[in-house]
Amino acid sequence: TLRVLTKIAQRYKDLPSVLGIEPVNEPWEYTPLATLKEFYWLGYLQVKKVAPAWKYVMHDSFRFTTETWGGFMAGCPDIAVDTHIYQAWKNPRNKEWYFEDACKVKQQILEMERSFAPVIVGEWSLATDNCAMWLNGFNDNMPGFPKLPCKYVPCPGPYMGADQPGTPPDPTKPLQQPYGTGISGPSFGLCPTDIDWQRSPGHKRKQKGDRGGGGGGSGRRQNLPPDARHGGLPTYAAADDDDDDN
């Protein structure tokens, strides 16, 4: 993997559109921390040797705590931490809890920036459940999910055109094979979708995510602040916080 990082840096180091690199996406929370930190150190040295102007972004390994990352790589320039914020995999709560949880993220981001590095919220979602069709696999689902009964709506037409085979789903047939041990897919012409909320906590989550560099959902274009687009890594820990919306 370190050789691959070197090759990527050699190939793209002179492209002005490339800000830097994240050496690995979402190392799991059970990855031995000492091994992961050693990999991050070695990757940083390799990348900076080839592309000294690049930023080096490290995923938090689903351990977004100052106890885990505080003081790590202290004094090293051009580092940042990437965190992915999803509420969809948490236990079902009332909508007030989702508001409060989204607001708490702001303080966590500020604390992390003070003790470690600028924070990029590289992925986030407005989902508060696992009901979106095929979210956890094609015609499948993770064990124990979804945790609440999902809303079902008439399946939309295929985005690739009405001539796609097997569309629209037959309203007289249940979920069709192949499928796994879980359930997520068209059934009797209906498709699962997110449970309705009277009011979305999305504006809270977006507002707090913006504090840490902002981001988009998985696989989408990242919405970085203007100074980040021009080569900087903004930090909000020292910024004047006059947000009254908590």
Side-chain angles (χ1 to χ4, degrees):
T1 304
L2 293 173
R3 289 196 296 269
V4 172
L5 289 177
T6 301
K7 289 183 178 294
I8 293 174
Q10 289 171 339
R11 181 168 183 175
Y12 297 106
K13 62 184 177 66
D14 295 322
L15 287 181
S17 58
V18 178
L19 178 70
I21 193 168
E22 184 166 349
V24 61
N25 179 53
E26 293 190 346
W28 200 235
E29 60 187 313
Y30 300 115
T31 302
L33 194 58
T35 302
L36 180 61
K37 287 186 174 181
E38 180 183 16
F39 170 73
Y40 279 158
W41 259 116
L42 295 175
Y44 176 81
L45 295 174
Q46 289 287 98
V47 169
K48 297 299 279 185
K49 186 186 302 182
V50 178
W54 272 18
K55 315 304 177 186
Y56 188 77
V57 183
M58 296 163 280
H59 186 265
D60 63 8
S61 186
F62 301 102
R63 289 172 275 196
F64 191 68
T65 67
T66 56
E67 291 78 15
T68 300
W69 300 107
F72 178 58
M73 296 180 69
C76 292
D78 302 322
I79 62 172
V81 60
D82 175 23
T83 191
H84 299 169
I85 301 174
Y86 293 105
Q87 293 180 320
W89 282 269
K90 297 186 178 183
N91 289 325
R93 311 285 178 87
N94 59 37
K95 64 177 180 293
E96 286 75 18
W97 180 89
Y98 289 101
F99 282 119
E100 293 171 1
D101 183 66
C103 289
K104 289 178 182 177
V105 171
K106 168 184 155 183
Q107 190 59 38
Q108 294 171 347
I109 289 174
L110 295 177
E111 291 174 358
M112 183 65 77
E113 291 192 330
R114 293 187 185 106
S115 65
F116 179 37
V119 175
I120 297 174
V121 183
E123 294 182 18
W124 59 274
S125 171
L126 299 181
T128 55
D129 58 56
N130 269 235
C131 287
M133 190 169 75
W134 300 339
L135 176 64
N136 291 320
F138 176 70
N139 276 9
D140 201 356
N141 220 317
M142 293 176 60
F145 289 92
K147 295 188 174 185
L148 292 172
C150 298
K151 176 183 176 182
Y152 279 78
V153 297
C155 295
Y159 68 89
M160 295 179 65
D163 58 342
Q164 296 300 305
T167 60
D170 192 329
T172 67
K173 294 182 178 180
L175 181 69
Q176 300 294 293
Q177 295 188 13
Y179 46 77
T181 57
I183 297 175
S184 181
S187 180
F188 299 106
L190 300 176
C191 290
T193 188
D194 297 332
I195 300 170
D196 287 332
W197 289 94
Q198 291 183 348
R199 183 184 179 206
S200 169
H203 74 284
K204 295 276 188 180
R205 204 169 319 155
K206 178 65 168 66
Q207 183 182 63
K208 305 316 170 189
D210 284 346
R211 292 285 177 180
S218 178
R220 293 180 175 86
R221 179 180 64 85
Q222 304 308 308
N223 300 314
L224 294 172
D227 46 353
R229 298 191 200 109
H230 294 287
L233 282 174
T235 175
Y236 296 90
D240 180 29
D241 181 18
D242 58 357
D243 177 16
D244 296 328
D245 203 17
N246 289 329

